[in-house]
């Protein structure tokens, strides 16, 4: 395979990097190599947003258009920058004039110690770039991954609202065409590589190149968004010998629909498929909006969420409940299995050496099916689940349950179904009695553990109560339907 170096735009300047350790994060690169210290380090774990920068990349559906997204630079490896434009807080000012994302912070008194301010400014800038008419909820969503410890959020939110509505053209709009052309030029280069400190990074461009890299060095570590993997470097001080970046592999970064399924490439970030899933499964769309923050969803992927095999990942229980499948690929050979069969034991999966996750297939809903999802965490935004409950229920016209899958995260070493509770419900109607029996049976399905997020007792009690909550919600939805039907009939 012909290789080139990692190349990107730092604002409007072409940067070529070589002889840099690919374990370096974008934040470290900016502060320690570029000496650009406007971008701050708060937590180095993706939680506080102080390190937020913006990436512009060619839109996958229209390569004449740029897509701007906020990311956490502290958990993004420097090689992931290839082919993109990196914009930092230092780049916003046009001559002596502050960008409106900055000026509105000044005007609204949105900064005290100022440590969080560059991060808020960059999140606000990213929002403005793709939504000039955001509603309040969209503004809050854009800022939810940024924490401030002294100003208070009211003035910052007001600043972001005003900035996002400003029609004033900025320097990025003026350079738009030149940026598109430059990024297109980078895209046409052969797969980039980066080597430094004895560590290596490669970024294959298609599935054959990816399969080749993994066959040649099966011990390579795959990296997609890095929102999970980079923490092993920034928090556990690990170093990774060889990183293989999947975010440029075209077959892994698309979303397709057939009559019966939604097929999501393993390396497509959440923010690029959330709308489609929200359309078919509103509960799932809402749950994904609670995965991390905007910054995390702009880079984090399904492949990474399944691939890290965490017992508290949010997507696996939902996918298991939906009966979704995952396609695995090794050296041109593919196999498709149920997501529930992917997990073997704590952090152990069926993935063979050199094999990787290619895509996930989610069945589209049909009549009589219901999906209910409940994420239990200490905060609404930017928090990992103590328990994730995913209930799929299919009922016939008599309300008998013909198919049921109750899947849980946070209740065992792997995301898992509850066979005993399911057996109580299968073939029966949801009634006070069957629900009571299912709750009792659940205690035989799981022996959850206690940790910082929740005690074993809390996990079991909340899971049992979620079955009841689901029942009550379905009952009241049915009751509403009956009332609506009556209203229509009497009219
Ligand atoms: C602040 C913060 C909040 C978070 N909140 C949540 C949350 O609410 N819910 C939640 O579920 N997760 C959360 N996460 C965890 C993480 O963001 C998700 O699991 C995300 O989906 C990981 O995707 P990624 O692309 O970043 O994975 P990466 O970090 O790139 O990779 C993760 C693992 O998967 C492997 N991998 C990646 N791609 C593939 C592939 N194609 N085939 C096989 N293996 C692969 C990698 O080798 C690595 O071991 C959070 C993380 C942070 C930092
Ligand atoms: S430094 Fe806190 S999110 Fe990056
Ligand atoms: S202004 Fe001090 S942390 Fe936000």
């Amino acid at each position: 395979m012909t290789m080139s170096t990692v190349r990107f735009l730092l604002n409007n300047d072409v940067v070529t990097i070589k002889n840099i350790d690919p374990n370096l994060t974008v934040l470290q690169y900016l502060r320690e190599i570029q000496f650009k210290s406007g971008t701050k380090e708060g937590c180095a774990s993706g939680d506080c947003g102080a390190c937020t920068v913006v990436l512009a990349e060619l839109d996958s559906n229209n390569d004449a258009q740029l897509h701007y997204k906020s990311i956490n630079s502290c958990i993004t490896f420097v090689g992931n920058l290839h082919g993109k434009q990196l914009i930092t807080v230092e780049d916003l000012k046009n001559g002596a004039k502050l960008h409106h994302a900055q000026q509105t912070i000044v005007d609204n008194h949105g900064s005290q110690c100022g440590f969080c301010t560059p991060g808020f400014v960059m999140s606000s800038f990213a929002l403005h770039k793709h939504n000039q008419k955001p509603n309040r909820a969209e503004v809050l969503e854009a800022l939810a991954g940024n924490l401030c410890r002294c100003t208070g959020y009211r003035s910052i939110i007001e600043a972001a609202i005003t900035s996002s509505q400003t029609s004033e053209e900025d320097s990025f709009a003026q350079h738009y065409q030149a940026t598109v052309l430059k990024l297109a030029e980078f895209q046409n280069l052969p797969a980039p590589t980066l080597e430094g400190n004895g560590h290596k990074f490669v970024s294959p461009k298609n599935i054959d190149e990816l399969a080749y890299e993994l066959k040649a060095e099966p011990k390579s570590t795959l990296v997609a968004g890095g929102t999970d993997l980079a923490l092993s470097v920034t928090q556990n001080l690990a170093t990774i010998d060889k990183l293989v970046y999947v975010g440029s592999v075209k077959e892994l970064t698309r979303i397709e629909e057939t009559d019966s399924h939604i097929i999501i490439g393993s390396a497509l970030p959440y923010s690029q498929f959330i709308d489609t899933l929200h359309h078919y499964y509103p509960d799932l769309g809402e749950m994904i909006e609670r995965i991390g923050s905007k910054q995390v969803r702009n880079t984090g992927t399904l492949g990474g969420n399944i691939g890290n095999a965490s017992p508290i990942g949010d997507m696996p229980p939902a996918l298991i409940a939906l009966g979704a499948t995952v396609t695995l690929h090794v050296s041109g050979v593919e196999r498709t299995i149920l997501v529930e069969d992917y997990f073997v034991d704590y952090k152990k999966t069926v993935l063979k050496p050199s094999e990787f996750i290619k895509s996930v297939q989610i069945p589209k809903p049909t009549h009589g099916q219901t999906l209910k999802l409940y994420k239990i965490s200490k905060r609404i935004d930017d928090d990992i689940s103590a328990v994730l409950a995913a209930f799929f229920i299919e009922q016939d016209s008599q309300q008998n349950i013909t198919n049921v899958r109750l899947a849980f995260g946070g209740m065992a070493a792997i995301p898992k179904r509850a066979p005993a509770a399911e057996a109580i419900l299968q073939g029966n109607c949801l009634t006070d009695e069957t629900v009571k029996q299912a709750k009792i049976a659940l205690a035989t399905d799981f022996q959850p553990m206690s940790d910082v997020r929740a005690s074993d007792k809390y996990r079991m009690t909340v899971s049992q109560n979620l079955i009841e909550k689901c029942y009550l919600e379905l009952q009241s939805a049915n009751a509403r339907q009956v009332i609506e039907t009556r209203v229509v009939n009497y009219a």
Side-chain angles (χ1 to χ4, degrees):
M1 205 193 326
T2 325
M3 296 285 188
S4 73
T5 47
V6 168
R7 229 168 280 198
F8 59 94
L9 285 177
L10 180 51
N11 193 11
N12 295 315
D13 299 330
V14 177
V15 178
T16 303
I17 51 170
K18 32 188 159 177
N19 306 327
I20 284 182
D21 189 334
N23 284 278
L24 206 70
T25 64
V26 172
L27 179 65
Q28 290 164 329
Y29 171 77
L30 283 171
R31 293 180 63 91
E32 294 162 24
I33 296 188
Q34 287 287 343
F35 300 115
K36 281 177 159 244
S37 54
T39 308
K40 305 294 182 224
E41 175 169 351
C43 62
S45 58
D47 289 296
C48 74
C51 67
T52 305
V53 294
V54 169
L55 292 184
E57 55 192 4
L58 293 178
D59 193 301
S60 50
N61 297 318
N62 177 358
D63 61 10
Q65 262 185 17
L66 294 173
H67 173 70
Y68 292 86
K69 61 184 191 185
S70 55
I71 66 155
N72 289 317
S73 61
C74 69
I75 49 170
T76 304
F77 291 118
V78 71
N80 293 26
L81 292 175
H82 179 77
K84 297 164 189 146
Q85 182 188 29
L86 170 62
I87 303 168
T88 74
V89 72
E90 287 95 343
D91 305 323
L92 297 196
K93 217 162 79 163
N94 198 355
K97 192 173 182 311
L98 288 179
H99 192 279
H100 49 76
Q102 299 169 305
Q103 189 60 50
T104 50
I105 287 274
V106 177
D107 297 344
N108 284 278
H109 309 286
S111 182
Q112 284 189 53
C113 80
F115 199 80
C116 68
T117 309
F120 273 105
V121 164
M122 295 315 287
S123 288
S124 163
F125 168 70
L127 172 67
H128 166 76
K129 280 294 175 195
H130 62 85
N131 189 351
Q132 275 90 56
K133 286 191 182 147
N135 57 36
R136 197 176 173 82
E138 287 165 334
V139 173
L140 296 184
E141 189 209 356
L143 301 183
N146 294 81
L147 303 181
C148 175
R149 283 291 165 262
C150 38
T151 299
Y153 294 100
R154 192 196 52 77
S155 49
I156 300 173
I157 292 165
E158 287 308 317
I161 290 174
T162 315
S163 171
S164 59
Q165 291 165 349
T166 310
S167 56
E168 193 181 300
E169 211 179 53
D170 62 16
S171 65
F172 304 94
Q174 287 155 12
H175 287 110
Y176 199 87
Q177 282 314 321
T179 307
V180 167
L181 289 175
K182 211 58 197 161
L183 297 190
E185 205 181 286
F186 295 157
Q187 296 286 311
N188 291 329
L189 294 170
T193 183
L194 180 63
E195 277 188 70
N197 242 353
H199 307 127
K200 203 170 168 191
F201 169 96
V202 286
S203 174
K205 296 176 73 174
N206 58 51
I207 201 161
D208 292 338
E209 287 183 0
L210 172 60
Y212 170 87
E213 281 298 335
L214 294 178
K215 196 72 192 169
E217 285 180 66
K219 293 218 166 106
S220 306
T221 304
L222 289 172
V223 58
T227 61
D228 181 61
L229 186 69
L231 270 70
S232 64
V233 175
T234 64
Q235 304 297 298
N236 299 342
L237 308 181
T239 44
I240 300 166
D241 289 341
K242 182 171 175 186
L243 285 162
V244 178
Y245 177 55
V246 288
S248 297
V249 177
K250 61 178 188 309
E251 295 89 341
L252 269 54
T253 46
R254 22 169 113 122
I255 176 164
E256 294 165 65
E257 286 188 44
T258 65
D259 286 347
S260 58
H261 284 80
I262 308 147
I263 304 166
I264 302 175
S266 62
L268 190 70
Y270 292 108
S271 49
Q272 290 183 45
F273 62 81
I274 186 168
D275 288 349
T276 307
L277 291 188
H278 195 280
H279 171 74
Y280 289 108
Y281 295 106
D283 263 35
L284 184 54
E286 280 167 30
M287 191 276 280
I288 297 174
E289 271 166 18
R290 289 186 55 202
I291 292 187
S293 57
K294 188 84 177 165
Q295 291 92 321
V296 169
R297 294 189 295 277
N298 278 339
T299 48
T301 64
L302 262 189
N305 203 233
I306 299 172
N308 71 18
S310 163
I312 45 170
D314 284 334
M315 288 304 287
L319 296 171
I320 291 171
L322 282 167
T325 55
V326 56
T327 298
L328 311 175
H329 182 117
V330 58
S331 302
V333 180
E334 291 186 357
R335 58 181 174 137
T336 297
I337 59 170
L338 283 170
V339 172
E340 70 175 282
D341 293 335
Y342 181 82
F343 306 99
V344 176
D345 204 345
Y346 180 69
K347 296 263 176 189
K348 283 208 181 106
T349 72
V350 296
L351 210 63
K352 296 179 189 151
S354 308
E355 199 171 34
F356 59 88
I357 302 168
K358 181 188 171 198
S359 59
V360 172
Q361 291 74 230
I362 301 174
K364 288 183 176 173
T366 58
H367 185 70
Q369 295 180 339
T370 304
L371 176 74
K372 285 277 186 189
L373 294 176
Y374 303 98
K375 172 165 174 158
I376 305 298
S377 57
K378 288 185 181 159
R379 287 186 310 192
I380 290 290
D381 292 306
D382 213 355
D383 203 0
I384 307 278
S385 302
V387 168
L388 192 296
F391 304 146
F392 173 87
I393 297 169
E394 192 165 3
Q395 288 164 295
D396 63 18
S397 53
Q398 306 303 309
Q399 302 298 312
N400 289 313
I401 297 177
T402 52
N403 198 0
V404 59
R405 285 186 290 268
L406 310 178
F408 290 83
M411 290 291 283
I414 55 173
K416 207 171 144 303
R417 283 172 70 177
E422 285 179 6
I424 300 285
L425 300 178
Q426 180 73 37
N428 289 313
C429 287
L430 285 171
T431 62
D432 290 356
E433 185 53 29
T434 54
V435 167
K436 186 176 153 200
Q437 292 306 324
K439 286 171 67 176
I440 294 170
L442 195 75
T444 63
D445 282 320
F446 296 109
Q447 289 84 47
M449 58 181 260
S450 298
D451 63 13
V452 286
R453 291 197 175 84
S455 67
D456 53 351
K457 274 200 190 116
Y458 177 85
R459 284 192 157 103
M460 179 52 74
T461 308
V462 85
S463 297
Q464 289 170 320
N465 289 346
L466 288 174
I467 296 179
E468 189 168 344
K469 183 176 167 71
C470 172
Y471 164 57
L472 295 174
E473 283 179 358
L474 289 180
Q475 252 191 342
S476 70
N478 285 342
R480 265 202 310 275
Q481 267 171 21
V482 172
I483 291 164
E484 277 159 18
T485 316
R486 280 193 196 130
V487 170
V488 172
N489 286 345
Y490 289 137

